[in-house]
Amino acid sequence: MTYRVIPVEPFDYIVIGGTGDLARRKLLPALYHRFADGQIPDNCRVIGASRRAMSNEEFQAMTRQALKEFIDGGARDDATMERFVKTVSYVALDAASGEGWSDLAAALASGANKIRAFYLAVAPDLFGDICARISEFALVTPQTRVVIEKPVGRDLESAKKVNDAIGRAFTEDQIFRIDHYLGKETVQNLMVLRFGNMLYEPLWNSAHIDHVQITVAESIGVGSRGDYYDATGALRDMVQNHLLQLLCLVAMEPPESIDANSVRDEKLKILKALKPIDRDNALAVSVRGQYRAGAANDGAVPAYVEELQSDRSNTETFVALKAEVANWRWAGVPFYLRTGKRLAERVSEIVVAFKPIPHSIFPTGTGTIHPNKLVMRLQPDEGVKQWIMIKDPGPGGMQLRHVPLDMSFADAFDIRHPEAYERLLLDVIRGNQTLFMRRDEVEAAWAWIDPILQAWDAARIAPSAYTAGTWGPSAAIALIERDGRTWHEETL
Ligand SMILES: NC(=O)c1ccc[n+]([C@@H]2O[C@H](COP(=O)([O-])OP(=O)(O)OC[C@H]3O[C@@H](n4cnc5c(N)ncnc54)[C@H](OP(=O)(O)O)[C@@H]3O)[C@@H](O)[C@H]2O)c1
């Protein structure tokens, strides 16, 4: 199985925060892979920028080191790596003081007609300063784009401020708000499954779908991100962006085309149709949790507060919600969302649970008829399983069995599966915003999240404790079981 590689136009990618964790772990390896596949011409430039003084050679050595650390030996070729490293250079600058920006302007002067992309791989409180400098030094050409990482704000008001600051330097069609979940193969495949097949769409509504589950579970703790995380929590860190974006793609109406604004218009309608969760219902439909000491794959693990080196914290490391989309298609269909750290497994998946059949023609004793489920797994092992009932093969008479039709990509297609960032970094160069969030989407998501945060604050309820290495507090299990349903578990 081969895939087509279409080279992109020559570009200059300026990674501000080029020496940081995101750049080394994700961005440089992703650009290397696209380069190795022949998608990035040799005359492209990747310019790292941050405050520390560094020569080009030192930044190239850091890039080489990052590629060795974060790309498997088998997927890396030394000669290609050396060619890639030649495209990399460095400028020292300070977003806050303005120092070094004339050096960047001088470096960019030779690429005035190229596509230019600024990737802001820095703390969000620097976004405004950086955009102001980019304007001040007249670095925005008609071919310029800017990529910003989450989080865009920490509530609706601050998100508007960030968006205003970026909007003073760039027009909306130049702004790429990245949510790397949208670059995952399975997420893009969700759109193809829904809109490239006749099979699902006629059933994709409250008449045939019982409920939807979206789980983004991490097995790791907060590690070195404790300060950021403790001021943020799972609702802001994961639900406002990743989980709501996935919910939108499951729930949206068929867009007119795959064009960015058609898709984003439909997603926005879903965000606006979400039934409010506020002081009236938050205690009934939301669960907050925080992990205490327990066990994970690597043995005994400390409690969240111990990782923080603190006595107490009111921040949630787990959240489960029962959301509802108040429109004709989804009336009465709950969307159960859950995400957390130090859970039993690292898994992200969307489960679309169909309704039970209306009447069984099979006698008792032939086996239970389970409702169909479509399970889309984002990580690990990206793939799709359609659970169906079949006759158990063999001469034992009519016995029914619940089995998955497995569409696992790793088995079906013998190719390396690109990381989400590979697709997204080059979509920026192609000017394709379909998999990026528009300003009104981000703000609509915050407008739904803010009342949940306010309701939690008002109720002054501490997060329920759960043991590290489990599936969260028992209240999260009760949240779905009260409705006569259970969280999906893979069993055969
Ligand atoms: N790491 C991830 O996997 C990940 C995932 C999703 C989102 N993000 C987001 O991506 C952003 C970067 O995260 P990170 O983990 O890479 O952070 P990080 O490791 O702390 O790196 C921050 C980078 O910014 C530079 N920097 C800091 N202040 C600066 C200034 N005033 N002017 C110019 N450069 C400055 C730092 O270098 P100097 O100190 O030399 O200036 C460093 O290169 C954050 O917004 C984060 O929320 C990260």
Side-chain angles (χ1 to χ4, degrees):
M1 170 68 73
T2 55
Y3 53 93
R4 223 157 35 107
V5 170
I6 304 172
V8 295
E9 298 286 314
F11 61 75
D12 287 338
Y13 235 117
I14 304 99
V15 183
I16 303 186
T19 54
D21 178 68
L22 179 70
R24 289 186 308 105
R25 219 153 43 82
K26 296 288 181 190
L27 308 182
L28 291 167
L31 288 167
Y32 166 81
H33 280 304
R34 296 295 88 230
F35 180 85
D37 263 359
Q39 209 162 10
I40 297 184
D42 282 76
N43 60 348
C44 289
R45 292 189 295 177
V46 178
I47 303 175
S50 68
R51 285 169 306 182
R52 73 198 71 172
M54 234 187 194
S55 65
N56 283 337
E57 291 70 27
E58 283 168 327
F59 187 65
Q60 289 175 341
M62 196 213 77
T63 302
R64 217 177 268 116
Q65 184 54 38
L67 300 183
K68 285 185 180 158
E69 193 176 339
F70 297 111
I71 301 179
D72 277 352
R76 191 167 26 84
D77 166 74
D78 282 348
T80 312
M81 186 167 77
E82 286 313 311
R83 268 180 48 227
F84 175 72
V85 164
K86 285 207 181 82
T87 69
V88 168
S89 56
Y90 183 78
V91 174
L93 54 74
D94 184 349
S97 75
E99 219 171 287
W101 284 83
S102 48
D103 296 339
L104 179 63
L108 290 176
S110 62
N113 297 322
K114 279 186 179 168
I115 292 170
R116 181 177 293 172
F118 290 96
Y119 198 118
L120 309 195
V122 293
D125 54 7
L126 291 174
F127 292 171
D129 275 343
I130 293 176
C131 290
R133 304 280 171 234
I134 291 173
S135 280
E136 184 186 330
F137 285 82
L139 301 180
V140 183
T141 63
Q143 295 262 65
T144 298
R145 288 114 215 223
V146 65
V147 189
I148 57 168
E149 269 290 346
K150 71 155 200 189
V152 182
R154 50 178 288 106
D155 53 22
L156 178 57
E157 195 189 335
S158 56
K160 282 183 175 167
K161 283 192 185 140
V162 173
N163 282 327
D164 285 344
I166 300 166
R168 281 194 279 278
F170 296 95
T171 54
E172 184 61 32
D173 62 356
Q174 294 179 308
I175 304 170
F176 289 70
R177 294 177 191 82
I178 207 161
D179 182 330
H180 70 275
Y181 269 65
L182 299 187
K184 289 185 180 286
E185 288 284 311
T186 314
V187 174
Q188 297 170 60
N189 207 11
L190 168 58
M191 280 199 269
V192 181
L193 275 175
R194 283 194 62 191
F195 306 125
N197 295 293
M198 194 56 214
L199 204 57
Y200 290 109
E201 207 45 32
L203 305 180
W204 210 257
N205 54 53
S206 60
H208 302 97
I209 291 179
D210 179 73
H211 72 282
V212 175
Q213 299 179 15
I214 302 177
T215 296
V216 176
E218 295 178 280
S219 53
I220 54 169
V222 285
S224 59
R225 291 176 73 221
D227 287 347
Y228 161 77
Y229 196 88
D230 200 49
T232 307
L235 187 70
R236 288 187 174 99
D237 191 44
M238 300 299 286
V239 180
Q240 187 274 342
N241 37 69
H242 306 317
L243 278 90
L244 285 186
Q245 284 292 318
L246 297 178
L247 183 154
C248 285
L249 291 173
V250 174
M252 71 182 182
E253 292 300 313
E256 184 182 302
S257 73
I258 191 82
D259 158 79
N261 280 331
S262 303
V263 172
R264 299 188 300 178
D265 287 346
E266 296 307 333
K267 287 197 291 169
L268 179 65
K269 285 182 203 159
I270 295 299
L271 290 166
K272 288 186 167 170
L274 284 170
K275 218 163 144 177
I277 298 181
D278 52 25
R279 289 176 197 211
D280 292 340
N281 59 351
L283 294 184
V285 297
S286 72
V287 173
R288 306 173 74 212
Q290 188 188 90
Y291 59 85
R292 58 178 166 222
N297 294 342
D298 40 357
V301 291
Y304 173 68
V305 284
E306 287 173 61
E307 282 190 54
L308 285 183
Q309 297 178 337
S310 159
D311 298 335
R312 62 175 305 278
S313 162
N314 191 38
T315 299
E316 77 285 355
T317 60
F318 175 95
V319 57
L321 298 173
K322 178 181 170 183
E324 286 180 75
V325 179
N327 66 13
W328 273 54
R329 188 190 277 260
W330 295 113
V333 179
F335 285 71
Y336 299 100
L337 314 180
R338 66 175 168 168
T339 182
K341 292 202 175 285
R342 282 276 187 239
L343 297 183
E345 244 181 272
R346 170 178 175 257
V347 62
S348 297
E349 64 187 13
I350 301 169
V351 178
V352 177
F354 290 85
K355 291 204 159 159
I357 56 165
H359 165 72
S360 173
I361 62 167
F362 303 101
T364 44
T366 50
T368 310
I369 301 186
H370 297 274
N372 299 125
K373 270 183 191 173
L374 179 68
V375 180
M376 285 160 280
R377 185 171 268 224
L378 279 53
Q379 62 189 23
D381 314 324
E382 283 200 60
V384 180
K385 283 183 185 170
Q386 173 64 69
W387 287 78
I388 56 167
M389 295 304 301
I390 60 160
K391 175 191 171 296
D392 205 1
M398 182 61 86
Q399 284 296 320
L400 306 183
R401 194 160 151 193
H402 193 215
V403 292
L405 282 179
D406 191 343
M407 303 180 238
S408 168
F409 301 139
D411 299 339
F413 304 100
D414 185 20
I415 58 167
R416 188 186 67 80
H417 292 283
E419 279 261 346
Y421 278 101
E422 294 180 42
R423 162 81 200 248
L424 297 173
L425 281 168
L426 290 206
D427 272 357
V428 173
I429 302 303
R430 287 184 281 258
N432 182 353
Q433 291 182 305
T434 303
L435 300 177
F436 295 82
M437 292 175 292
R438 204 168 56 191
R439 173 176 184 152
D440 48 9
E441 275 182 88
V442 173
E443 292 180 4
W446 279 122
W448 188 70
I449 292 287
D450 276 1
I452 306 177
L453 290 164
Q454 286 154 9
W456 287 350
D457 272 353
R460 293 179 185 280
I461 293 178
S464 315
Y466 63 95
T467 305
T470 66
W471 280 110
S474 53
I477 297 168
L479 176 78
I480 190 165
E481 294 199 345
R482 265 201 306 270
D483 295 344
R485 302 177 175 110
T486 52
W487 292 107
H488 172 73
E489 265 184 62
E490 191 101 329
T491 43
L492 250 185

